[in-house]
Amino acid sequence: MSELLPSASLKRAFVGVDIGGTNTVIGIFDRSRRLLGKRSVPTLLPHLPGKTDHPVVFFDMLQEEIERLALEVDCTDGIALCGMGVPGRVDPVRGRAEAASNMGWFGVPFAEQMSSRLGVPVHIDNDVRIYGLGEVLAGAGRGYRNVLCLTVGTGIAAATFVDGRIVRGGDYYAGEIGHDPVAGESALCACGERGCVESIVSARGISRLAAEAVDSIGDGTALSMLAHRPNALDVYQAASAGDRAAREIFRYVGEVLASKLLTAVCLLNPAAVIIGGGIAEAGELLLGPVRERINSRYVNSKKPIVVRAALGDSAGLIGAVAYAAQCEKEVNWGDDDASYNETAVSRSLFGSV
């Protein structure tokens, strides 16, 4: 599916890619930072349930889709650069996807492979850090220098911004709260461990909790009327219609998430907590319990705002292009006098999107 916007005649394509466990979104920007076109395609993982260090089918598909979209939006001067958000533990210096358990990717030389295919510099970082960068530059985090930004969907992870800088960690693994254990929980996580936050606070976790509720109370929930195993959307729809069991599932998920976030809030004192991803579309069913828990237990009189992400799947595209431009020191975007350092991008780059 593509979305095209009006364009000028001669442009170079600045490409942003946001890779997810289910779908991959590609965006093409021009030099004046306009989003010219956007396309969502399935993330091809034919090697699953096996592991790979060279997902060639996905690489080839991604190259084809990027080049096709660039032509569709009349980028007649070719591709200038490309930034990508990649799930899991990513080494942005070496351009490698070191470990993405949900994808089956381990030790993948992502930037090198895509750069050789596209013929331009390709820069990658963890998808949530890239997503968070987009929200800080142009979305719900704009105007804040200390931010926690999470995505909750196939999995869960966080991006942390302290004094305007991205925190990556010593091994580029900062933000992987999805694999912090939850006391009393023993469900198997995709990482192979049991009782991880992600085994609860994720689409998969919500589906599991719903199936357990159906087994436990049967006709006591509308979820028992489904002809299939309940998924996260089913639970959201039932909760929105007032189903007690479905609402309790979301409350529990929100409280588990809040208990982990509270530690981070006390440690980092963020001004904003931003929650995005597919599960965040549940809105206050999820955000309400998170906000209540943080507000009731955080001793600081100034509480962080707890809000839903504002940009949808465009956040990762904006963050990816901004990050790649930062890496290339590409400052001549339109009339902006943008400046960069190793971990932060001037907000002027995407002042209005």
Side-chain angles (χ1 to χ4, degrees):
M1 178 177 65
S2 302
E3 300 174 29
L4 306 181
L5 299 177
S7 59
S9 57
L10 182 64
K11 299 178 298 292
R12 298 193 74 193
F14 292 76
V15 182
V17 180
D18 182 16
I19 300 170
T22 303
N23 294 306
T24 292
V25 183
I26 302 165
I28 304 291
F29 296 80
D30 68 7
R31 205 171 183 82
S32 60
R33 72 184 178 273
R34 288 189 306 161
L35 178 61
L36 302 177
K38 181 167 67 173
R39 168 174 292 151
S40 177
V41 296
T43 301
L44 298 180
L45 302 169
H47 58 278
L48 290 179
K51 301 176 182 178
T52 183
D53 62 359
H54 192 68
V56 62
V57 175
F58 180 70
F59 286 149
D60 290 344
M61 180 275 290
L62 194 52
Q63 174 192 357
E64 180 181 340
E65 294 292 346
I66 289 171
E67 292 176 344
R68 178 183 295 140
L69 184 58
L71 288 174
E72 287 180 12
V73 298
D74 287 333
C75 283
T76 52
D77 204 21
I79 296 173
L81 54 78
C82 179
M84 298 186 178
V86 180
R89 181 161 62 87
V90 175
D91 183 335
V93 176
R94 299 173 67 194
R96 289 168 57 93
E98 299 291 5
S101 56
N102 288 333
M103 319 291 280
W105 292 345
F106 294 87
V108 178
F110 218 98
E112 174 188 315
Q113 286 295 319
M114 290 310 303
S115 181
S116 67
R117 283 170 166 78
L118 297 174
V120 296
V122 174
H123 299 278
I124 71 169
D125 200 350
N126 171 265
D127 60 334
V128 181
R129 287 196 287 266
I130 292 291
Y131 180 96
L133 179 59
E135 285 289 336
V136 167
L137 288 173
R142 192 173 181 191
Y144 298 104
R145 291 178 56 78
N146 293 279
V147 176
L148 283 174
C149 181
L150 297 89
T151 59
V152 185
T154 303
I156 174 175
T160 305
F161 297 80
V162 175
D163 294 334
R165 293 177 175 270
I166 301 173
V167 176
R168 291 189 172 89
D171 195 29
Y172 311 112
Y173 206 49
E176 291 297 325
I177 66 168
H179 304 293
D180 196 14
V182 179
E185 287 288 342
S186 60
L188 183 65
C189 180
C191 73
E193 298 294 337
R194 291 187 176 274
C196 296
V197 171
E198 190 171 295
S199 69
I200 301 161
V201 189
S202 65
R204 221 181 269 122
I206 291 171
S207 176
R208 175 183 62 81
L209 292 169
E212 291 175 358
V214 169
D215 289 342
S216 175
I217 63 178
D219 293 342
T221 172
L223 297 170
S224 66
M225 304 299 292
L226 298 170
H228 57 269
R229 178 186 173 96
N231 57 40
L233 178 58
D234 295 324
V235 180
Y236 166 69
Q237 291 173 337
S240 298
D243 185 85
R244 181 175 177 180
R247 294 183 73 86
E248 287 178 351
I249 289 170
F250 268 105
R251 173 158 286 278
Y252 178 62
V253 169
E255 288 175 349
V256 168
L257 176 57
S259 68
K260 298 301 180 181
L261 285 180
L262 184 59
T263 300
V265 167
C266 291
L267 182 66
L268 298 170
N269 183 214
V273 175
I274 301 167
I275 303 178
I279 302 304
E281 295 301 308
E284 287 303 304
L285 286 169
L286 178 68
L287 270 62
V290 173
R291 190 180 299 111
E292 291 169 17
R293 173 80 170 171
I294 290 175
N295 287 348
S296 66
R297 295 302 303 269
Y298 187 42
V299 296
N300 190 352
S301 60
K302 187 173 182 180
K303 315 296 185 185
I305 63 166
V306 178
V307 295
R308 192 167 68 178
L311 299 176
D313 59 14
S314 291
L317 306 181
I318 292 168
V321 172
Y323 175 65
Q326 164 198 323
C327 292
E328 288 296 304
K329 302 296 187 290
E330 175 59 59
V331 299
N332 185 24
W333 284 54
D335 296 326
D336 287 334
D337 181 18
S339 59
Y340 303 89
N341 58 39
E342 62 178 340
T343 53
V345 181
S346 168
R347 282 182 172 80
S348 65
L349 189 60
F350 284 94
S352 58
V353 176

